[in-house]
Structure formats: structure tokens, C-alpha cells
Amino acid sequence: MRLLERMRKEWFMIGIVLAIAGAKLEPSIGVNGGPLKPEITVSYIAVATIFFNSGLSLKTEELTSALVHIKLHLFIQIFTLAFFPATIWLFLQLLSITPINEWLLKGLQTVGCMPPPVSSAVILTKAVGGNEGIVVTPLLLLLFLGSSSSVPFTSIFSQLFMTVVVPLIIGQIVRRYIKDWLERKKPPFGAVSSCVLLTIIYTTFCDTFSNPNIDLDKFSLLLVLFIIFSIQLSFMLLTFLFSTRNNSGFTPADTVAIIFCSTHKSLTLGIPMLKIVFAGHEHLSLISVPLLIYHPVQILLGSVLVPTIKSWMVSRQKGVKLTRPTV
């Protein structure tokens, strides 16, 4: 199952490249008002499909049992939705005097606002043997993104409510009645969401490539790639130091969950949100680029670091057992 999930993610990353390349070759298909009618099919139907799909696949009973780890969740939420975006904001004040494309810098800020994904962070945490510490707080995320958008907050909230919250709730209600069938058949929820997400990415870049006034220089793109690698490595090290200090109260398995869940960002939630918050914005695709880069980088770094982190966790757990007094 883990191998299949890894293969799906690799194909998804290839799909992102193909979607952008397809938009470059023929942008007229996916632009607003074009044959795909993305102002309707993407902004409403595609986003709602993703979250209805999430509602069907979301195992509420597992989330309820996970809420026992209150301290773990609190740490992850504070780091993800307070420390992370605030630190990025301070860092961007320095980068604003550089020649890096300003819309890519705004995209870095939106990356800082995103919650952790349920997919990659949990899979990597399971691969090591840690705990799953994820509680998403979309309302805080909406407030943070809404404050930097030209779209009225009430409009953002109403559309997010109708295309995110309502489909998610309906999916959960439907799941209650077909739970046994879902457990038996195991529908490809991940593949469905990935295909819909690729459609959103394709239409986003169709708007970009159809606009001759938008130009992305390679220098800015390379710098942003380096910055994203540096941010992820730095924050993973920082969360490791925070969670392993004396009297932290976290177990080695908790530390694994903190490292991955506090530093990973959700592409599945992020792209639809950016599509709503920056609806009609001519630089939407440039704002989306850092998140599109962040996603494969977090998977790559996570996969590379899993053996090392697993080795550390096993050695620490053995050390705890050896020092535990016998009765």
C-alpha cells in the first residue's frame, strides 16, 4: 500500500509538469470563457468534488481518537499557523529588496499560511512509525489569506463555505450510510482528487500563458527553489530541536509527527483556496508556483530523511526501555 501511494505521488508530480506544459501549448482551452468554462467547472464543481471526496474518505473515528494528544496538536497548530507564516513574513521583508519576482514572494507567504496535508505528512510519519498529529484549522487560514487579498472576505468565506465545508459535510453524511461498502471496495479517493487537482492547475496556467504581460524569469525561479529547500530543512531541524529538548514531554514518536506535520503544506487544500481567494487575479499562477514547488520538495526531503529519522527513533526508544526501572 505504501509503495502504491509513493507511485501515485510520483505520477502526480509528473502530471503537474504535463498540465503546465499542456497549458503552455494550448492555453485557449482552459482560460476563463474557454471551452472548459473553468469559472464554473473549476471554481465550483472541481473544488466541491475534491472536498466531497475528502468527506467520503475521512475516517472521523480516527480523528476523534487522535484528539487525545492535545499537547501534540497544540504544538503543531501554533507552529504551522502562527510561527511558520510569521517567520516567512519577516524573511520576506528582507527578500523584498532583492530582484526576486514580487508575485513569487507573495506565493511564498501563501505557502506559509497553508495547513499540513493529510496525505504526505501522515504517510511519512507512518513510514517511520510515529504518531499522526494533524488538526486542520481552515478558519484561521482563511483569515490570514483573506487579509492579503483584494477579494472581500465575505465573498471568500461564502464561496469557501459552499465549495469546501458543505461538500465535506455531505461527504461525511454519505459515508455514514455506505461505510461498509467503502471499506470493502476501497475506492481510489487519492487518484480522483489528484486528477481534479491537475485540472485546476492546468486552467490556472492557461490564464497565465494567455496573458502576454506576465513573464517569469529563471533567476527568480531558481532562487525560490533554493529558498524553499532551505526553509524546509531549517524548520525540520528547528522542530526537532524544540521537541527533543529537556522536559519537552514529547516521545520520539511524537517528535516524528511534529517534524513532518509542522513543516509540510497541503497542495490539495492550497490550490483550490488560492483559486478562490485570488479569483480573477492575473498573477494567480505565479502566486501558486511556490506551493507547486514546495509539494514535491517536501516529498523528496521526507523520503530521503525517513531512514535517518527512523534509525534515530528506534535508538531513542531502545534507550528509554533500557533506562526504565524494572518492578
Side-chain angles (χ1 to χ4, degrees):
M1 182 66 71
R2 196 178 299 158
L3 178 60
L4 289 175
E5 184 65 25
R6 188 182 306 164
M7 290 176 61
R8 185 181 71 80
K9 287 187 173 297
E10 289 174 355
W11 278 108
F12 178 67
M13 286 188 282
I14 295 173
I16 292 177
V17 175
L18 292 176
I20 295 174
K24 175 67 173 177
L25 290 173
E26 192 55 61
S28 61
I29 296 176
V31 296
N32 283 338
L36 286 183
K37 300 293 182 184
E39 62 273 17
I40 298 174
T41 57
V42 170
S43 298
Y44 294 95
I45 298 175
V47 175
T49 300
I50 286 178
F51 289 99
F52 174 74
N53 191 48
S54 297
L56 281 178
S57 61
L58 189 63
K59 297 181 179 179
T60 314
E61 60 275 11
E62 292 185 2
L63 292 180
T64 303
S65 62
L67 287 174
V68 174
H69 305 282
I70 298 297
K71 184 178 179 180
L72 179 65
H73 294 313
L74 186 61
F75 181 95
I76 291 172
Q77 292 307 301
I78 292 175
F79 190 95
T80 304
L81 297 176
F83 181 83
F84 201 125
T87 303
I88 294 296
W89 182 83
L90 290 173
F91 184 47
L92 291 181
Q93 304 312 301
L94 298 175
L95 291 179
S96 63
I97 62 175
T98 68
I100 300 177
N101 186 291
E102 64 170 311
W103 299 107
L104 290 180
L105 294 182
K106 289 181 184 294
L108 282 174
Q109 182 63 72
T110 62
V111 168
C113 298
M114 295 299 161
V118 175
S119 54
S120 59
V122 173
I123 290 164
L124 290 168
T125 299
K126 282 183 174 179
V128 177
N131 295 329
E132 298 177 31
I134 296 178
V135 175
V136 179
T137 53
L139 182 58
L140 291 178
L141 182 60
L142 292 179
L143 289 171
F144 208 107
L145 285 177
S147 64
S148 62
S149 170
S150 58
V151 181
F153 178 79
T154 52
S155 176
I156 295 171
F157 183 80
S158 61
Q159 186 171 351
L160 282 171
F161 181 78
M162 294 304 298
T163 58
V164 175
V165 179
V166 172
L168 192 66
I169 293 174
I170 293 175
Q172 279 285 280
I173 293 173
V174 173
R175 178 181 172 81
R176 291 181 59 185
Y177 294 98
I178 61 172
K179 180 180 176 182
D180 292 338
W181 182 84
L182 291 173
E183 294 294 333
R184 188 171 63 254
K185 296 295 184 179
K186 300 187 183 302
F189 293 116
V192 172
S193 293
S194 294
C195 290
V196 177
L197 193 57
L198 288 175
T199 303
I200 297 175
I201 293 170
Y202 168 73
T203 57
T204 299
F205 278 86
C206 280
D207 286 332
T208 297
F209 294 127
S210 64
N211 187 342
N213 298 322
I214 295 179
D215 182 37
L216 177 60
D217 60 288
K218 295 179 181 179
F219 174 74
S220 293
L221 195 59
L222 288 174
L223 277 181
V224 167
L225 178 62
F226 174 76
I227 290 168
I228 287 174
F229 263 102
S230 302
I231 287 173
Q232 287 201 40
L233 284 174
S234 300
F235 280 4
M236 291 179 85
L237 176 61
L238 194 59
T239 53
F240 176 80
L241 294 175
F242 279 162
S243 59
T244 56
R245 71 188 191 282
N246 293 333
N247 302 320
S248 68
F250 293 119
T251 66
D254 291 337
T255 296
V256 172
I258 287 171
I259 290 173
F260 288 128
C261 297
S262 297
T263 59
H264 282 204
K265 296 295 183 176
S266 175
L267 183 67
T268 304
L269 179 61
I271 292 298
M273 270 199 168
L274 292 180
K275 193 77 175 178
I276 294 171
V277 173
F278 296 98
H281 201 295
E282 65 174 350
H283 293 99
L284 171 59
S285 59
L286 296 186
I287 295 172
S288 306
V289 164
L291 184 58
L292 292 173
I293 294 174
Y294 199 97
H295 179 74
V297 168
Q298 69 188 11
I299 295 173
L300 175 63
L301 286 178
S303 301
V304 170
L305 292 174
V306 158
T308 302
I309 295 175
K310 184 172 185 177
S311 176
W312 169 84
M313 192 188 76
V314 170
S315 64
R316 283 292 298 268
Q317 288 178 333
K318 286 181 179 179
V320 171
K321 290 179 181 178
L322 290 174
T323 56
R324 187 176 296 166
T326 58
V327 180

